[in-house]
Amino acid sequence: MTTTFDGNTAHLRPADQTLLQIKDLVVEFDLGGGRVVKAVSNVSLDLVEGETLSIVGESGCGKSTLGKAILQLPAPTSGSIVFQGTDITKLSKKDLRNVRPAMQMIFQDPVSSLDPRFPVSRAVEEPLKIWNRGNEIERSAKVDELLNSVGLDPALVRDRRPYEFSGGQCQRISIARALALEPKLLICDEPVSALDVSVQAQILNLLQDMKEAYGLTLIFISHDLSVVKAVSTRIMVMYLGKICEIATPDELYSRPLHHYTSALVGSVPVPDPERKVSATLLEGEPPSPLDPPSGCRFRTRCPAATELCATEEPMLRLAADGHYVACHHPRA
C-alpha cells in the first residue's frame, strides 16, 4: 500500500542530518515575447555527507541545469539551497564566493573545460593561487600530489597543454583541478559521456577512489542508467524538469514503478544474446519545456495515462522503504 504525502518533499530527510537540502527549486529562462523555458520545476532533493546521488534522464530533462543552479551558475528563479546549514540563495556575492571552494564541478567536455593556453601545472594550480593557498613551493607540491592521485605522472604532464592529451587524460586533469581546494561536494555533469567506453570505467573507478580518499559527497549527472548503477547510493529520475522517481540502485533496477523509469531501465543493453528483449518502447518526442503538458508531464507518452493525469499533477509518494514515485498509476 502506498503512503501519500502533501507536496513533493516527502523524500527529504531531517535538515540537521544533511549536507545539502534543496526545496522547491525552479529554474526558468525568459526568452522574451511571453516565452519562458521551464527547465526545472519545483524540484526538492537532499544529500547526506558521503553519499552519491545520481540524477538521470534523457537530454533536455533539466538535470545539468539543476546541477549548475546548485552552484548558482546561474542562480535559480526561486527555491532554497541549504548547504552546510546556510541558504546560499540568500547570500551576498562576497559571502557566496567564500562558500564556492566547498562546492566544485566536473564538466561534460573535458577538453574544452581546460584553457588550451595553460600548461597542466597552471590549470591545476590556478584555484590555489586565486585563494592564496600556500606559497609557490607548497602549491607546486600540491599540484604534484593531485596529479599523482588521478594517475598522471607530474614529470611527464606538468608542462604539456590540454590539446596534447586524450579525453580521458583531460578528464583526470579536470578532476585534479576540482579537488585542489578540497571541496565537500563535487557535482559531476556527465563526466564520462564524451569518453570512449573503454575509458569510462577507468574514470568511474577514479571518482570512487577520490570520493573515499578525499571524503567527498557526489552528485552524478548522467543520461545512462547503466553508468550510474555501480556508483550510486540513490538514483533520482527526471523528466521535463520534474522528479519521477527516487530509489536505491538495486530497487530501481529490479522494480521501477514509474513508466518512464521502466522504459529507461529497459533500454539498458544486456550482454546476453539469449536473453529476451522486453523493453518498454516510448512513442513520440518529449514535449517542449516552453509549453509542458498539464498535470503529469509524462502523460503524453505514457501507456497508462488517464484523464486524472491531465488534470492533476502527481506528487511523490512513498511506495517502499526509500522508494518514492510521482505517478497516479504506478507499475505493480
Side-chain angles (χ1 to χ4, degrees), residues 11 35 54-55 62 81 89 93 149 160 169 187 195 199 203 220 226 229 235 241 247 255-256 268 288 290 296 331:
H11 58 294
R35 298 184 305 153
S54 290
I55 303 174
I81 302 172
T89 63
K93 289 184 178 180
S149 71
R160 295 165 64 189
Q169 289 171 316
I187 299 176
L195 306 178
V199 181
I203 298 300
F220 194 99
S226 63
K229 184 179 182 182
I235 298 176
R255 199 168 71 101
V268 175
S288 169
L290 284 165
C296 176
R331 299 173 73 252

Side-chain angles (χ1 to χ4, degrees), residues 193-235:
S193 65
L195 306 178
D196 293 339
V197 174
S198 58
V199 181
Q200 288 183 3
Q202 297 174 22
I203 298 300
L204 290 173
N205 289 335
L206 175 61
L207 285 170
Q208 284 293 93
D209 293 342
M210 295 298 98
K211 177 185 173 182
E212 293 173 12
Y214 289 88
L216 299 169
T217 302
L218 299 182
I219 292 178
F220 194 99
I221 296 167
S222 178
H223 64 272
D224 188 347
L225 267 171
S226 63
V227 165
V228 304
K229 184 179 182 182
V231 302
S232 308
T233 309
R234 291 184 303 150
I235 298 176

Side-chain angles (χ1 to χ4, degrees), residues 20 22 66-72 81 88 103 185 187 219:
L20 176 75
I22 296 168
L66 172 60
K68 291 173 183 174
I70 293 171
L71 297 177
Q72 312 291 288
I81 302 172
I88 63 175
M103 309 168 73
L185 174 65
I187 299 176
I219 292 178

Side-chain angles (χ1 to χ4, degrees), residues 43-85:
V43 166
S44 300
L45 62 88
D46 62 10
L47 274 166
V48 170
E49 192 166 342
E51 76 173 335
T52 299
L53 173 67
S54 290
I55 303 174
V56 298
E58 59 194 310
S59 296
C61 73
K63 55 190 185 296
S64 292
T65 302
L66 172 60
K68 291 173 183 174
I70 293 171
L71 297 177
Q72 312 291 288
L73 298 171
T77 306
S78 64
S80 64
I81 302 172
V82 178
F83 178 66
Q84 293 184 313

Side-chain angles (χ1 to χ4, degrees), residues 122-136:
R122 182 175 173 186
V124 177
E125 184 190 14
E126 193 77 358
L128 298 169
K129 288 183 71 175
I130 289 172
W131 285 95
N132 298 316
R133 301 281 179 92
N135 57 38
E136 190 172 343

Side-chain angles (χ1 to χ4, degrees), residues 245 252 255-259 261 319-320 323 325 327 329-332:
E245 192 166 357
L252 197 77
R255 199 168 71 101
L257 297 179
H258 199 283
H259 298 274
T261 308
H323 193 161
V325 63
C327 182
H329 312 292
R331 299 173 73 252

Side-chain angles (χ1 to χ4, degrees), residues 2-12 42-45 236-237 242-246 258 313-319 323-327:
T2 6
T3 306
T4 308
F5 297 82
D6 293 329
N8 268 326
T9 58
H11 58 294
L12 297 183
N42 296 103
V43 166
S44 300
L45 62 88
M236 184 176 95
V237 181
K242 290 279 189 180
I243 300 176
C244 297
E245 192 166 357
I246 300 174
H258 199 283
E313 180 184 340
M315 297 290 107
L316 278 169
R317 299 182 292 169
L318 180 63
H323 193 161
Y324 296 85
V325 63
C327 182

